[in-house]
C-alpha cells in the first residue's frame, strides 16, 4: 500500500522535516539499543552568548538524548581567546570517548573559525565542514557529508521525489550548502543533472523553471516565487532571512505550493533534517573509530 503524504492547501506534497527527523531519531535509538547501548558521544562547543546558537545547541543535545546518544558540552565566554578555543577543541579531538565534534558557528568576531575547525579529525567532523571532509566528498571517499545538503537528499528520498535522470538547480554557492549539494545530486548512483546558480545568474527565473528539483539556498527572502517553478517540480527551501515579518525562507511558500509537486515548509523543513543528519553522522563516526559495530 502506498503511503499517503500530507498535502499543502495548494495541493503539493508537504515534505515534513520534523516528521522525518523524528523517524530517524527513533531508528538511531533502536539501532544503538539493539547493539547493547554502546556509548556514542557527540560533543558540542559553544563560544559566546549568541541566543540562536544557544537554542540550536540545546536542540541538538535534546535530540541526541532521544537517539540514545551521549552529549558532552563545552561552553566558553565571549571573551575567550583563540588559544583557549583551540585548546578546548583539541582536547575533544584527542579524547577517545568523543566520536563527533560540532563547533557551533558563527564564532565571536576576532576568532579564526577555519583554524579551529582544522583541529577536528575528519572522522570526528560530523558537521562535514573541514577541507578534508570536503575533499573526501569530492573524491567519493568515506567521510561525513555536510548535514544540511545531506538532509535535502534524505527528504527527496523519503517523499518519493524521483532524482535519477532529473534536472536540478541549486541556488547558492556556499561551501556549507550549495557546493556540496551539487556534488550529492550529481554523484554516481544518484544521477541527477545539477546546475549551480546564484543571485547573479542571468535569467535565474527561467533557469529554475526548467528544473525538476529546485534547492533554494541563497539567503534571499522569498526569492523563489511561483514564476520560478515548473509545474510539479520539487522545491526545497534552505535559506533563512530575518525580516520585519519574522524569519522567512528563500521560497514564497504561499504561491509556490500551488504550482509545485512537493515543497518543504519553513520552518519545519530542512532545519530539523540538519539535526537528524548530524546524529546519523555521529553514529557513522563511532563506526569509523571502531566504537560501534559495523
Amino acid at each position: 500500500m502506498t503511503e499517503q503524504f500530507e498535502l499543502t492547501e495548494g495541493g503539493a506534497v508537504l515534505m515534513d522535516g520534523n516528521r522525518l527527523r523524528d523517524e530517524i531519531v527513533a531508528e538511531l535509538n533502536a539501532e544503538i539499543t539493539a547493539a547493547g547501548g554502546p556509548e556514542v558521544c557527540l560533543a558540542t562547543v559553544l563560544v559566546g552568548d549568541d541566543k540562536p546558537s544557544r537554542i540550536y545547541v540545546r536542540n541538538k543535545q535534546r535530540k541526541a538524548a532521544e537517539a540514545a546518544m551521549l552529549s558532552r558540552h563545552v561552553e566558553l565566554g565571549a571573551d575567550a581567546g583563540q588559544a583557549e578555543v583551540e585548546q578546548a577543541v583539541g582536547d575533544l579531538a584527542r579524547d577517545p570517548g568523543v566520536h563527533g565534534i560540532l563547533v557551533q558557528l558563527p564564532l565571536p568576531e576576532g576568532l579564526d573559525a577555519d583554524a579551529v575547525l582544522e583541529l577536528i579529525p575528519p572522522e570526528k567532523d560530523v558537521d562535514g565542514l573541514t577541507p578534508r571532509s570536503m575533499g573526501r566528498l569530492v573524491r567519493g571517499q568515506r567521510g561525513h557529508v555536510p548535514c544540511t545538503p545531506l538532509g535535502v537528499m534524505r527528504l527527496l528520498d523519503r517523499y518519493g521525489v524521483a532524482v535519477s535522470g532529473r534536472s536540478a538547480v541549486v541556488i547558492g554557492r556556499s561551501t556549507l550548502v550549495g557546493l556540496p549539494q551539487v556534488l550529492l545530486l550529481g554523484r554516481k548512483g544518484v544521477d541527477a543533472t545539477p546546475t549551480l546558480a546564484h543571485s547573479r545568474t542571468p535569467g535565474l527565473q527561467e533557469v529554475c523553471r526548467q528544473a525538476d528539483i529546485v534547492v533554494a539556498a541563497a539567503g534571499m527572502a522569498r526569492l523563489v516565487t511561483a514564476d520560478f517553478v515548473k509545474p510539479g517540480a520539487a522545491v526545497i527551501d534552505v535559506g533563512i532571512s530575518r525580516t520585519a515579518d519574522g524569519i522567512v525562507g528563500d521560497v514564497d511558500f504561499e504561491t509556490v505550493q500551488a504550482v509545485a509537486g512537493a515543497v518543504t515548509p519553513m520552518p519545519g523543513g530542512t532545519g530539523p533534517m540538519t539535526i537528524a543528519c548530524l546524529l546519523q553522522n555521529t553514529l557513522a563516526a563511532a563506526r569509523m573509530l571502531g566504537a560501534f559495530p559495523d
Side-chain angles (χ1 to χ4, degrees), residues 26-180:
E27 291 169 0
L28 290 169
N29 183 301
E31 187 172 1
I32 293 171
T33 301
E39 293 187 351
V40 177
C41 179
L42 171 65
T44 53
V45 179
L46 177 64
V47 184
D49 52 8
D50 181 70
K51 186 176 180 180
S53 291
R54 189 174 297 279
I55 293 171
Y56 296 153
V57 168
R58 188 182 307 126
N59 288 339
K60 291 164 185 173
Q61 292 171 327
R62 179 166 54 86
K63 290 301 174 182
E66 291 178 15
M69 294 181 181
L70 300 178
S71 289
R72 186 179 301 183
H73 183 56
V74 176
E75 188 164 332
L76 302 173
D79 58 349
Q82 185 75 25
E84 185 178 359
V85 176
E86 291 186 7
Q87 179 67 47
V89 174
D91 288 345
L92 295 172
R94 291 183 291 271
D95 189 336
V98 171
H99 307 114
I101 302 172
L102 180 142
V103 177
Q104 184 64 44
L105 302 177
L107 295 179
E109 187 176 352
L111 294 177
D112 184 346
D114 288 339
V116 172
L117 295 176
E118 283 282 2
L119 297 172
I120 303 175
E123 293 78 11
K124 296 188 178 187
D125 177 26
V126 289
D127 234 2
L129 297 183
T130 67
R132 284 175 291 180
S133 292
M134 179 64 81
R136 291 186 178 196
L137 177 59
V138 170
R139 295 180 63 85
Q141 296 175 347
R142 188 183 187 193
H144 302 302
V145 176
C147 301
T148 299
L150 182 58
V152 170
M153 302 305 294
R154 297 280 189 260
L155 282 166
L156 293 172
D157 179 64
R158 176 66 178 81
Y159 286 95
V161 177
V163 178
S164 178
R166 303 302 175 93
S167 60
V169 170
V170 179
I171 311 172
R173 46 191 168 180
S174 74
T175 56
L176 302 182
V177 180
L179 293 177

Side-chain angles (χ1 to χ4, degrees), residues 215-228:
V215 181
M220 300 178 68
R222 299 191 180 98
L223 169 68
V224 176
T225 62
D227 294 334
F228 281 65

